[in-house]
Amino acid sequence: MNQKSKLKTICPIFLTEGEDFQKALDVIEQSTCHSIEMRLDEYFDQYGVEALLKKLKELDPENFGKEVIWTLRTRPQGGKADVSPEEYVQVIEAINQLPGLTDVELDQVTKIKDHYIPERTVLSWHDFEQTPGTQELAGLWDEMEMYMPKIEKISVMPKTSKDVQNLLQSCKNHSTTQEKIAISMGEMGKISRILADFYGSGYTFASAITNSAPGQPSLEELTFYRSVFADR
């Protein structure tokens, strides 16, 4: 089966000041990835919410050349932002004014209320310590379904190969009209990033410049492994 056209690649980049950011962005723009994940949490952590809001107004995502997923990853979900509920709402409101998609963490979705836009939302849930059991995974998919986002995303850390299998099978078993992302992190979970589409996950993450999670392959690695295992 030819899977070549089914899996879309997202390349992350951390928003920063200076020439290095623009150089990194240029590399991603010229790469084969489908989308850019613009990580905002490092900038937030370094400069604060007001500086971030100002920076967002200065960006011109129309010139990025690729679809952008705007992500403020909070520290409890594996990111760098210690953010108050009020600050989270402020950033989501600002992001929603920009072209692209908005990452919203599942445990924050009820807090943003009127600023939740299902058709542009990547609704996400992360656990960098472990993989929930099969029933909890099914419950997470079902909870996301209630909010009808454009994309539902679960990213977890496996301790055994069975954890990887359980995550992928949970994604495959979850019947939905929404798009899905299922990621098992670390070296053990790398297979989930390479063969994601065989289990109903339409996207994977790979680094063109910046690695944003354990086990994330480079774009070159992903292309190679896909050529061996999937794109035939």
Side-chain angles (χ1 to χ4, degrees):
M1 182 183 296
N2 190 327
Q3 298 287 319
K4 189 172 292 186
S5 63
K6 292 188 177 181
L7 188 66
K8 298 176 182 177
T9 306
I10 302 167
C11 288
I13 182 173
F14 284 86
L15 179 65
T16 59
E17 293 287 356
E19 293 182 1
D20 288 346
F21 170 73
Q22 187 57 53
K23 289 178 181 178
L25 187 58
D26 289 344
V27 170
I28 294 178
E29 288 173 358
Q30 296 166 23
S31 75
T32 58
C33 74
H34 175 267
S35 303
I36 300 169
E37 182 184 41
M38 188 68 69
R39 287 285 297 267
L40 307 176
D41 39 302
E42 190 172 276
Y43 196 98
F44 177 96
D45 182 58
Q46 187 170 358
Y47 299 106
V49 66
E50 294 301 329
L52 175 58
L53 295 175
K54 181 181 178 182
K55 185 67 175 179
L56 289 174
K57 291 180 180 179
E58 297 172 357
L59 296 176
D60 187 8
E62 296 284 5
N63 291 327
F64 290 176
K66 298 181 187 293
E67 180 180 60
V68 181
I69 301 172
W70 305 92
T71 300
L72 180 69
R73 184 68 65 234
T74 66
R75 201 170 295 277
Q77 285 283 296
K80 300 183 179 183
D82 289 312
V83 56
S84 70
E86 294 77 18
E87 289 171 331
Y88 192 85
V89 170
Q90 281 183 282
V91 175
I92 294 298
E93 185 178 10
I95 290 172
N96 283 344
Q97 306 304 311
L98 300 171
L101 304 179
T102 304
D103 181 288
V104 176
E105 295 172 356
L106 182 59
D107 60 357
Q108 300 281 352
V109 67
T110 58
K111 301 173 186 177
I112 63 173
K113 297 180 181 178
D114 296 337
H115 303 295
Y116 179 71
I117 306 174
E119 60 271 19
R120 65 167 286 148
T121 295
V122 179
L123 193 56
S124 64
W125 190 87
H126 303 74
D127 191 328
F128 280 72
E129 300 296 326
Q130 61 185 350
T131 299
T134 54
Q135 288 187 342
E136 187 176 349
L137 285 169
L140 286 166
W141 289 118
D142 289 343
E143 185 178 355
M144 289 184 179
E145 189 74 10
M146 293 168 54
Y147 297 102
M148 298 297 288
K150 177 178 173 61
I151 302 173
E152 302 170 1
K153 176 190 176 189
I154 294 179
S155 183
V156 292
M157 183 66 74
K159 293 184 177 179
T160 66
S161 59
K162 184 65 174 175
D163 285 340
V164 181
Q165 295 171 20
N166 286 344
L167 173 69
L168 291 174
Q169 195 61 47
S170 77
C171 182
K172 187 174 183 179
N173 291 345
H174 177 51
S175 179
T176 179
T177 58
Q178 319 308 118
E179 296 180 276
K180 295 178 286 185
I181 301 175
I183 295 173
S184 190
M185 293 184 281
E187 287 300 313
M188 185 180 295
K190 188 169 283 188
I191 192 68
S192 71
R193 299 178 180 275
I194 298 166
L195 301 180
D197 47 335
F198 285 84
Y199 294 87
S201 178
Y203 297 81
T204 192
F205 286 74
S207 60
I209 292 292
T210 305
N211 187 309
S212 63
Q216 192 174 96
S218 69
L219 200 53
E220 291 77 13
E221 280 184 288
L222 180 65
T223 300
F224 170 74
Y225 285 126
R226 289 286 296 179
S227 71
V228 173
F229 297 111
D231 293 340
R232 292 180 294 173

